[in-house]
Amino acid sequence: PAEHYLNGGIRTGYNGRTNIEGLYSCGETAATGAHGANRLASNSLMEGLVYGWKIYQDIEKRLKSKTVKEERQVLSTVDSTVMGSAGTLDDKKAPGGTKLDILTLISSLRNMMSREVGILRDSSGLEEARDFVQFHIGNENLYNRTDKDILEFANMLTVANLIIKSASIREESRGTHMRFDFPGKDDKNWKKHIILKKDKVDFKKVD
Ligand SMILES: Cc1cc2nc3c(=O)[nH]c(=O)nc-3n(C[C@H](O)[C@H](O)[C@H](O)COP(=O)(O)OP(=O)(O)OC[C@H]3O[C@@H](n4cnc5c(N)ncnc54)[C@H](O)[C@@H]3O)c2cc1C
Protein backbone atom coordinates (compact mmCIF):
# COMPACT_ATOMS: atom_id res chain seq x y z
CA PRO A 1 0.00 0.00 0.00
CA ALA A 2 1.05 3.60 -0.59
CA GLU A 3 -0.34 6.98 0.31
CA HIS A 4 -2.82 7.96 -2.40
CA TYR A 5 -3.63 11.54 -1.50
CA LEU A 6 -3.07 13.92 1.43
CA ASN A 7 -6.32 15.57 2.56
CA GLY A 8 -4.74 18.58 4.15
CA GLY A 9 -1.73 20.78 3.68
CA ILE A 10 -0.56 24.36 3.80
CA ARG A 11 -3.64 26.57 4.08
CA THR A 12 -4.14 28.88 1.09
CA GLY A 13 -6.71 31.26 -0.32
CA TYR A 14 -8.24 30.82 -3.77
CA ASN A 15 -5.21 32.57 -5.31
CA GLY A 16 -2.75 30.07 -3.78
CA ARG A 17 -1.33 32.63 -1.32
CA THR A 18 -0.28 31.42 2.13
CA ASN A 19 0.04 33.52 5.30
CA ILE A 20 3.75 33.99 4.52
CA GLU A 21 4.30 36.91 2.14
CA GLY A 22 5.50 35.66 -1.24
CA LEU A 23 5.05 31.94 -0.44
CA TYR A 24 2.48 30.10 -2.59
CA SER A 25 1.28 26.52 -2.36
CA CYS A 26 -0.70 24.31 -4.74
CA GLY A 27 -1.26 20.64 -5.56
CA GLU A 28 -0.47 17.96 -3.03
CA THR A 29 1.14 20.42 -0.59
CA ALA A 30 -1.89 22.72 -0.33
CA ALA A 31 -5.21 22.82 1.51
CA THR A 32 -7.06 25.16 -0.85
CA GLY A 33 -10.54 24.32 0.41
CA ALA A 34 -11.45 22.63 -2.88
CA HIS A 35 -11.85 19.21 -1.23
CA GLY A 36 -13.57 18.06 1.93
CA ALA A 37 -12.71 15.04 4.08
CA ASN A 38 -12.18 13.10 0.87
CA ARG A 39 -11.59 14.18 -2.71
CA LEU A 40 -13.47 13.18 -5.82
CA ALA A 41 -11.47 10.99 -8.21
CA SER A 42 -9.22 12.92 -10.58
CA ASN A 43 -9.82 16.27 -8.91
CA SER A 44 -6.28 16.54 -7.56
CA LEU A 45 -4.54 16.72 -10.93
CA MET A 46 -7.14 19.29 -12.01
CA GLU A 47 -6.58 21.22 -8.78
CA GLY A 48 -2.82 21.38 -9.40
CA LEU A 49 -3.48 22.74 -12.87
CA VAL A 50 -6.09 25.32 -11.84
CA TYR A 51 -4.21 26.64 -8.81
CA GLY A 52 -0.89 26.65 -10.67
CA TRP A 53 -2.55 28.95 -13.21
CA LYS A 54 -4.12 31.12 -10.49
CA ILE A 55 -0.73 31.51 -8.79
CA TYR A 56 0.86 32.54 -12.07
CA GLN A 57 -1.85 35.18 -12.55
CA ASP A 58 -1.45 36.45 -8.99
CA ILE A 59 2.33 36.76 -9.27
CA GLU A 60 2.04 38.56 -12.60
CA LYS A 61 -0.45 41.02 -11.09
CA ARG A 62 1.78 41.67 -8.08
CA LEU A 63 4.89 42.16 -10.18
CA LYS A 64 3.10 44.72 -12.34
CA SER A 65 2.01 46.70 -9.30
CA LYS A 66 5.57 47.08 -7.95
CA THR A 67 8.33 49.32 -9.18
CA VAL A 68 11.56 47.73 -10.43
CA LYS A 69 13.40 49.36 -7.51
CA GLU A 70 11.17 47.67 -4.92
CA GLU A 71 11.63 44.30 -6.63
CA ARG A 72 15.42 44.68 -6.56
CA GLN A 73 15.26 45.46 -2.84
CA VAL A 74 13.21 42.31 -2.17
CA LEU A 75 15.63 40.16 -4.19
CA SER A 76 18.70 41.55 -2.45
CA THR A 77 17.11 40.86 0.98
CA VAL A 78 16.44 37.25 -0.07
CA ASP A 79 20.02 36.95 -1.34
CA SER A 80 21.60 38.22 1.86
CA THR A 81 19.34 36.03 4.04
CA VAL A 82 20.30 32.91 2.08
CA MET A 83 24.00 33.81 2.08
CA GLY A 84 23.86 34.62 5.80
CA SER A 85 22.30 31.28 6.75
CA ALA A 86 24.75 29.31 4.56
CA GLY A 87 27.57 30.29 6.90
CA THR A 88 25.77 28.84 9.92
CA LEU A 89 25.16 25.38 8.49
CA ASP A 90 27.03 22.65 10.27
CA ASP A 91 27.30 19.16 8.85
CA LYS A 92 29.96 17.84 11.17
CA LYS A 93 27.52 16.29 13.63
CA ALA A 94 25.27 13.55 12.25
CA PRO A 95 22.10 13.03 14.33
CA GLY A 96 22.64 9.36 15.04
CA GLY A 97 26.28 9.12 14.02
CA THR A 98 26.49 7.75 10.48
CA LYS A 99 24.75 8.28 7.14
CA LEU A 100 23.24 4.81 7.45
CA ASP A 101 21.50 5.86 10.67
CA ILE A 102 19.54 8.65 8.98
CA LEU A 103 18.34 6.32 6.21
CA THR A 104 17.26 3.79 8.84
CA LEU A 105 15.41 6.53 10.72
CA ILE A 106 13.62 7.65 7.52
CA SER A 107 12.60 4.06 6.86
CA SER A 108 11.37 3.62 10.47
CA LEU A 109 9.30 6.81 10.24
CA ARG A 110 7.73 5.63 6.96
CA ASN A 111 6.85 2.24 8.47
CA MET A 112 5.45 3.84 11.60
CA MET A 113 3.27 6.27 9.61
CA SER A 114 1.99 3.49 7.30
CA ARG A 115 1.21 1.16 10.18
CA GLU A 116 -0.28 3.54 12.76
CA VAL A 117 -1.40 6.64 10.86
CA GLY A 118 -2.51 5.06 7.57
CA ILE A 119 -5.84 3.67 6.47
CA LEU A 120 -7.07 2.66 9.96
CA ARG A 121 -6.15 4.56 13.12
CA ASP A 122 -6.83 4.44 16.85
CA SER A 123 -5.60 6.37 19.87
CA SER A 124 -2.96 3.84 21.00
CA GLY A 125 -1.37 3.63 17.52
CA LEU A 126 -1.47 7.42 17.16
CA GLU A 127 0.22 7.78 20.56
CA GLU A 128 2.95 5.35 19.55
CA ALA A 129 3.58 7.34 16.37
CA ARG A 130 3.50 10.62 18.30
CA ASP A 131 6.12 9.36 20.78
CA PHE A 132 8.41 8.28 17.95
CA VAL A 133 8.11 11.67 16.22
CA GLN A 134 8.43 13.69 19.43
CA PHE A 135 11.58 11.79 20.38
CA HIS A 136 13.33 12.66 17.10
CA ILE A 137 11.89 16.11 16.37
CA GLY A 138 13.66 17.54 19.42
CA ASN A 139 17.10 16.45 18.20
CA GLU A 140 18.92 19.74 17.57
CA ASN A 141 21.44 18.01 15.30
CA LEU A 142 18.71 17.72 12.65
CA TYR A 143 18.59 21.47 12.04
CA ASN A 144 20.87 23.97 10.25
CA ARG A 145 22.23 21.24 8.00
CA THR A 146 23.05 20.91 4.31
CA ASP A 147 22.76 17.11 4.02
CA LYS A 148 19.68 16.39 1.86
CA ASP A 149 18.64 13.23 3.76
CA ILE A 150 18.83 14.97 7.13
CA LEU A 151 16.85 17.96 5.84
CA GLU A 152 14.24 15.62 4.39
CA PHE A 153 13.99 13.66 7.63
CA ALA A 154 13.43 16.91 9.57
CA ASN A 155 10.71 17.94 7.08
CA MET A 156 9.09 14.49 7.22
CA LEU A 157 8.97 14.72 11.02
CA THR A 158 7.28 18.14 10.81
CA VAL A 159 4.59 16.89 8.42
CA ALA A 160 4.14 13.63 10.37
CA ASN A 161 3.73 15.61 13.59
CA LEU A 162 0.93 17.72 12.07
CA ILE A 163 -0.88 14.68 10.61
CA ILE A 164 -0.69 12.74 13.89
CA LYS A 165 -1.89 15.76 15.88
CA SER A 166 -4.90 16.38 13.61
CA ALA A 167 -5.81 12.67 13.48
CA SER A 168 -5.64 12.45 17.29
CA ILE A 169 -7.78 15.56 17.82
CA ARG A 170 -10.52 14.38 15.43
CA GLU A 171 -12.41 11.84 17.51
CA GLU A 172 -14.73 10.60 14.77
CA SER A 173 -14.47 8.94 11.35
CA ARG A 174 -15.00 11.04 8.24
CA GLY A 175 -13.95 10.62 4.62
CA THR A 176 -10.50 9.05 4.45
CA HIS A 177 -9.93 9.51 8.21
CA MET A 178 -11.08 6.19 9.75
CA ARG A 179 -10.71 5.54 13.50
CA PHE A 180 -11.34 2.14 15.08
CA ASP A 181 -12.13 3.79 18.41
CA PHE A 182 -14.52 6.40 16.92
CA PRO A 183 -16.12 4.60 13.95
CA GLY A 184 -19.08 6.97 13.44
CA LYS A 185 -19.37 10.38 11.80
CA ASP A 186 -20.12 13.12 14.35
CA ASP A 187 -21.60 16.15 12.55
CA LYS A 188 -22.61 17.80 15.82
CA ASN A 189 -19.02 18.26 17.01
CA TRP A 190 -16.84 17.73 13.99
CA LYS A 191 -18.28 19.45 10.93
CA LYS A 192 -15.21 21.66 10.85
CA HIS A 193 -11.64 21.92 9.60
CA ILE A 194 -8.67 21.67 11.98
CA ILE A 195 -6.10 24.45 11.50
CA LEU A 196 -2.70 24.02 13.16
CA LYS A 197 -0.26 26.88 13.56
CA LYS A 198 2.80 26.14 15.71
CA ASP A 199 1.24 24.97 19.02
CA LYS A 200 -2.12 26.67 18.35
CA VAL A 201 -5.18 24.65 17.31
CA ASP A 202 -8.03 26.45 15.51
CA PHE A 203 -11.21 25.23 13.87
CA LYS A 204 -13.17 26.51 10.90
CA LYS A 205 -16.81 25.50 10.59
CA VAL A 206 -17.97 23.85 7.38
CA ASP A 207 -21.40 25.08 6.19
C1 LIG B 1 -1.15 5.82 -6.92
C2 LIG B 1 -1.75 7.18 -7.14
C3 LIG B 1 -2.79 7.33 -8.04
C4 LIG B 1 -3.35 8.58 -8.26
N1 LIG B 1 -4.37 8.71 -9.16
C5 LIG B 1 -4.89 9.91 -9.42
C6 LIG B 1 -5.91 10.08 -10.42
O1 LIG B 1 -6.36 9.13 -11.06
N2 LIG B 1 -6.39 11.33 -10.64
C7 LIG B 1 -5.94 12.42 -9.93
O2 LIG B 1 -6.40 13.53 -10.18
N3 LIG B 1 -4.98 12.28 -9.00
C8 LIG B 1 -4.44 11.08 -8.73
N4 LIG B 1 -3.46 10.95 -7.77
C9 LIG B 1 -3.03 12.13 -7.03
C10 LIG B 1 -2.14 13.01 -7.90
O3 LIG B 1 -1.26 12.20 -8.63
C11 LIG B 1 -1.34 13.99 -7.01
O4 LIG B 1 -2.21 14.67 -6.13
C12 LIG B 1 -0.63 15.01 -7.88
O5 LIG B 1 0.26 14.35 -8.77
C13 LIG B 1 0.14 16.01 -7.03
O6 LIG B 1 0.89 16.85 -7.88
P1 LIG B 1 2.00 17.80 -7.30
O7 LIG B 1 2.65 18.44 -8.48
O8 LIG B 1 1.41 18.68 -6.26
O9 LIG B 1 3.02 16.84 -6.53
P2 LIG B 1 3.94 15.68 -7.12
O10 LIG B 1 3.35 15.09 -8.36
O11 LIG B 1 4.23 14.77 -5.97
O12 LIG B 1 5.26 16.47 -7.56
C14 LIG B 1 6.21 16.90 -6.63
C15 LIG B 1 7.56 16.87 -7.35
O13 LIG B 1 8.53 17.49 -6.51
C16 LIG B 1 9.71 16.71 -6.56
N5 LIG B 1 10.46 16.97 -5.31
C17 LIG B 1 10.26 16.47 -4.08
N6 LIG B 1 11.16 16.96 -3.22
C18 LIG B 1 11.93 17.81 -3.92
C19 LIG B 1 13.04 18.63 -3.58
N7 LIG B 1 13.52 18.69 -2.34
N8 LIG B 1 13.60 19.38 -4.56
C20 LIG B 1 13.11 19.35 -5.83
N9 LIG B 1 12.06 18.59 -6.20
C21 LIG B 1 11.48 17.83 -5.26
C22 LIG B 1 9.22 15.27 -6.68
O14 LIG B 1 10.23 14.44 -7.21
C23 LIG B 1 8.05 15.45 -7.64
O15 LIG B 1 8.44 15.39 -9.00
C24 LIG B 1 -2.87 9.71 -7.55
C25 LIG B 1 -1.81 9.55 -6.65
C26 LIG B 1 -1.26 8.29 -6.45
C27 LIG B 1 -0.10 8.16 -5.49
Side-chain angles (χ1 to χ4, degrees):
E3 185 234 346
H4 190 175
Y5 183 73
L6 183 68
N7 287 306
I10 303 165
R11 197 164 175 234
T12 74
Y14 286 117
N15 47 17
R17 288 189 196 185
T18 67
N19 65 336
I20 296 174
E21 176 70 16
L23 179 72
Y24 289 84
S25 174
C26 75
E28 196 81 30
T29 59
T32 59
H35 312 291
N38 203 342
R39 64 144 176 114
L40 291 177
S42 289
N43 272 4
S44 53
L45 290 174
M46 190 54 77
E47 185 191 13
L49 205 64
V50 169
Y51 281 86
W53 177 248
K54 279 175 162 288
I55 289 172
Y56 158 75
Q57 288 178 316
D58 195 66
I59 292 173
E60 194 184 40
K61 200 169 82 196
R62 285 169 91 168
L63 286 177
K64 276 186 187 152
S65 71
K66 290 198 168 189
T67 64
V68 175
K69 194 170 162 235
E70 275 174 313
E71 283 306 312
R72 285 212 176 114
Q73 264 167 3
V74 172
L75 287 177
S76 85
T77 311
V78 172
D79 262 3
S80 56
T81 309
V82 171
M83 294 310 283
S85 65
T88 66
L89 297 173
D90 174 10
D91 274 338
K92 289 188 201 85
K93 297 169 280 173
T98 65
K99 179 85 179 165
L100 187 64
D101 290 333
I102 198 74
L103 298 179
T104 309
L105 286 173
I106 287 175
S107 173
S108 305
L109 176 61
R110 283 197 173 125
N111 287 335
M112 173 68 73
M113 291 300 285
S114 281
R115 202 174 60 242
E116 306 299 349
V117 199
I119 296 168
L120 293 169
R121 303 150 170 190
D122 68 9
S123 64
S124 68
L126 289 169
E127 271 169 35
E128 200 186 320
R130 186 200 59 201
D131 290 347
F132 177 93
V133 168
Q134 287 300 320
F135 178 78
H136 292 289
I137 214 166
N139 182 348
E140 60 179 31
N141 289 335
L142 285 176
Y143 306 99
N144 279 347
R145 311 295 298 253
T146 54
D147 184 286
K148 178 177 155 288
D149 293 324
I150 299 176
L151 286 170
E152 279 187 4
F153 183 53
N155 290 340
M156 287 167 81
L157 286 171
T158 303
V159 176
N161 191 34
L162 294 168
I163 294 172
I164 294 164
K165 199 165 172 181
S166 307
S168 306
I169 292 171
R170 189 174 283 280
E171 295 187 331
E172 64 151 0
S173 290
R174 180 181 297 269
T176 53
H177 168 72
M178 182 72 216
R179 284 193 55 164
F180 276 130
D181 44 355
F182 297 96
K185 190 158 93 172
D186 176 1
D187 275 348
K188 189 162 165 268
N189 295 305
W190 282 109
K191 219 171 162 196
K192 54 193 176 189
H193 295 289
I194 298 171
I195 301 159
L196 302 178
K197 192 176 176 188
K198 290 200 173 160
D199 292 330
K200 211 169 135 227
V201 182
D202 274 334
F203 300 97
K204 185 171 171 253
K205 268 191 108 50
V206 176
D207 298 324

